[in-house]
Amino acid sequence: MKFQPLADRIRPTTLADVVGQPHILGQTGLLRRIVESGNIPNMIFYGPSGVGKTTVASIIAAQTERKLYRLNATTASIADIKKIFDELGTLMAPNGALIYLDEIQYFNKKQQQSLLEFIEDGRITLIASTTENPYFYVFHAILSRSTVFEFKQIEAADIQPAVRRAFSLADASLHVPEEVCAYIAAACGGDVRKAINAVELLVQTAGGDTVTMEDAQQAAQRSSVRYDRDGDQHYDILSGLQKSIRGSDPDAAVHYLARLLASGDLISACRRLMVIAAEDIGLAYPQALPIVKACVDMANQLGLPEARIPLADAAILLATSPKSNSGIAAIDAAMADIHAGKSGDVPAHLKDSHYAGAKKLGRGLTYQYPHSYPNHWVRQQYLPDAIKDAQYYTYGDNKLEQKAKAYWDSIKK
């Protein structure tokens, strides 16, 4: 008899049995209402692995009495879809076909374009799934003909009943303490399939009539870390880190830093902390820049796990520091003018005059040396004539910048 994984044996057959996703599968959820109507559009299921995308596609196929064809874009080709298309209307697919194309982001643009002629025929319904943001990786013409549904990471409390049910189905005679079920549900990182696979491993290797916490920890080790350096999770966690520091929340900052470091991503953590020091703290506390750079240098010399210590210091320092974005606001405003063509020739009195013939060209003739004047300042024009009145920098409202403003206001009166 062919072996069937426990995750397949326990797979739900109705939407009511699907774990999680209440925002789309609840009583008023749009996807649930679409499935119950029987009029299934082309759809894209977007979300992390193990959250029910394949399961829901199978339920849709069963409820609409359509033949389900499962393809994976890493190995499938347009020829495979053409073969399915040729079977339409035969005994193989009398009611049309539903193609579940997993990991559609691995189809190149030409392959995705070729999909259009098949899904526009009406006899094929496409449900594509992807763990990557479809708005970055799926061809626009496919997106415009599809409805996108986001499947979210499942909470541990929702996974725990599924873990208990999996143990009962696999071996009802085993004694499984509730804390073991809770641990597996929490350690799987929102991936139901991982949790069920851990259950299957524990049942197969059970050394007695009780599943111990030690065995559960071995079976589910580190699976709670859901992270992909090239995927959405990477950028979402970096965004969470920066916005937490910008919002002066040291606890959240340390949390997101820990998620980066737990995945071994030291480089991204170091780069983002240095960016934050300049972008979000900036001139409110300029000393933060060399301090964070020193922490980053120390972290790179130490390596993980010790690197977590100076980086935690840096994250907490930044989160609890005064904030100013006046520096990035100034350079972005100046760059916007440059890109818009608002520039001009460098004023003649500022041009380089350290060469023979410079005076004949009028270079530097009227330049006034600020150090020769009281307070090392003299009024003269520095910007090109075309934008001589432009103002890019606005003093931040923090203590340090306001002190500098007060100083220069008194000098420039």
Side-chain angles (χ1 to χ4, degrees), residues 241-250 276-285 315-327 395-401:
L241 173 64
Q242 182 156 8
K243 288 172 181 173
S244 297
I245 291 177
R246 182 182 296 155
S248 303
D249 188 330
I276 295 168
E279 179 178 348
D280 294 301
I281 284 74
L283 298 172
Y285 182 42
I316 294 170
L317 171 73
L318 295 176
T320 56
S321 293
K323 306 295 188 294
S324 173
N325 70 336
S326 58
Y395 288 96
D397 58 5
N398 57 84
K399 182 178 180 180
L400 192 61
E401 286 183 88

Side-chain angles (χ1 to χ4, degrees), residues 281-332:
I281 284 74
L283 298 172
Y285 182 42
Q287 293 93 330
L289 277 74
I291 293 173
V292 170
K293 179 61 167 61
C295 289
V296 165
D297 289 344
M298 185 184 298
N300 283 315
Q301 288 182 348
L302 291 173
L304 289 170
E306 288 82 1
R308 75 190 188 282
I309 305 170
L311 294 186
D313 290 341
I316 294 170
L317 171 73
L318 295 176
T320 56
S321 293
K323 306 295 188 294
S324 173
N325 70 336
S326 58
I328 186 175
I331 188 62
D332 283 353

Side-chain angles (χ1 to χ4, degrees), residues 130-148:
T130 175
T131 55
E132 306 291 351
N133 193 322
Y135 295 99
F136 297 154
Y137 292 94
V138 178
F139 183 48
H140 178 72
I142 299 289
L143 280 175
S144 66
R145 291 163 174 79
S146 307
T147 303
V148 177

Side-chain angles (χ1 to χ4, degrees), residues 14 44 49 75 221 228 237 271 277 283 288 299-300 306 362 381 394:
T14 66
I44 296 175
S49 59
T75 56
Q221 57 184 330
D228 179 358
I237 292 173
R271 291 183 68 249
L283 298 172
N300 283 315
E306 288 82 1
Q381 180 183 325
T394 300

Side-chain angles (χ1 to χ4, degrees), residues 215-236:
D215 286 343
Q217 290 171 342
Q218 288 293 319
Q221 57 184 330
R222 290 203 65 183
S223 62
S224 62
V225 180
R226 186 189 285 279
Y227 185 73
D228 179 358
R229 294 191 190 191
D230 298 318
D232 279 358
Q233 280 286 314
H234 170 76
Y235 297 105
D236 288 345

